[in-house]
Amino acid sequence: MFDRVREDIRTAKAKDPAAKSTLEILCCYPGLHAIWLHRIAHAFWAAGFVLLGRILSHLSRFLTGVEIHPGADIGRRFFIDHGMGVVVGETAEIGDDVMLYHGVTLGGDSLEDEKRHPTLEDNTTVGAGATLLGPITVGAGASVGAGSVVLDSVPKNCTVVGNPAKLVGTCAEDDSVTFGKSVDR
């Protein structure tokens, strides 16, 4: 557990140039606090104590301004910069080394009990205020611009921006997938 906390602190220092000290990160980073509380809530959820997981996630939202459903599956070195207004839905999957900025929504597009939230693969970045909806995949190394609305899967190592999101530039090392088509994983 303490190794993960140290890893999280190193991640905050690496991803936020405003981070000046370990004590500051421990005391003043609500995105990090939300991740720590999510890990506990997720453990309760996975063990079948769903109400306890939901109550803890609700408390976390009250304390941090970050709403992460306890069913969401989150990898290592996940970092939320500024945090306020971030929403991560129940069936969202987040890989390792992912970064979200404030106001990001990983939302669902169905009322059915199925995979209905986005998957963010390793090393993705999602800009402030972006909204990603549905069981789409944002490929490894991809970036989503601030304020973008993403309704289709994004190939790895690509950047999308706008509303609706459109591919910009070229994708490094992957021209086999077209933006707007499902990414099979």
Side-chain angles (χ1 to χ4, degrees):
M1 178 177 109
F2 291 112
D3 288 340
R4 288 291 294 270
V5 169
R6 281 191 285 276
E7 182 178 62
D8 292 334
I9 292 167
R10 283 192 303 272
T11 298
K13 285 181 180 178
K15 293 192 177 205
D16 186 358
K20 303 300 182 206
S21 72
T22 298
L23 183 59
E24 177 191 16
I25 292 166
L26 285 170
C27 296
C28 303
Y29 276 65
L32 196 54
H33 301 151
I35 292 165
W36 290 339
L37 289 168
H38 168 75
R39 288 184 188 143
I40 299 166
H42 183 73
F44 284 131
W45 182 269
F49 298 102
V50 294
L51 180 58
L52 192 53
R54 289 284 291 175
I55 290 169
L56 185 55
S57 74
H58 187 71
L59 177 64
S60 176
R61 180 182 65 154
F62 175 77
L63 294 172
T64 67
V66 176
E67 182 174 345
I68 306 173
H69 191 284
D73 187 15
I74 297 176
R76 298 176 74 112
R77 296 173 303 278
F78 174 51
F79 185 66
I80 303 171
D81 197 9
H82 299 289
M84 185 59 77
V86 168
V87 177
V88 178
E90 176 186 12
T91 63
E93 298 173 61
I94 298 173
D96 296 337
D97 302 300
V98 171
M99 183 162 172
L100 303 184
Y101 288 91
H102 64 279
V104 168
T105 298
L106 303 180
D109 68 350
S110 167
L111 298 177
E112 302 300 319
D113 188 16
E114 61 189 9
K115 172 71 171 149
R116 61 188 186 282
H117 298 91
T119 296
L120 306 181
E121 293 184 344
D122 297 346
N123 299 302
T124 60
T125 301
V126 181
T131 301
L132 293 77
L133 298 176
I136 61 174
T137 299
V138 178
S143 296
V144 175
S148 296
V149 176
V150 184
L151 304 174
D152 295 304
S153 291
V154 179
K156 70 178 186 175
N157 299 316
C158 293
T159 299
V160 295
V161 298
N163 179 6
K166 303 248 186 270
L167 186 64
V168 294
T170 58
C171 302
E173 303 173 17
D174 187 18
D175 57 357
S176 63
V177 180
T178 305
F179 177 65
K181 305 293 183 198
S182 282
V183 176
D184 295 324
R185 301 281 178 220

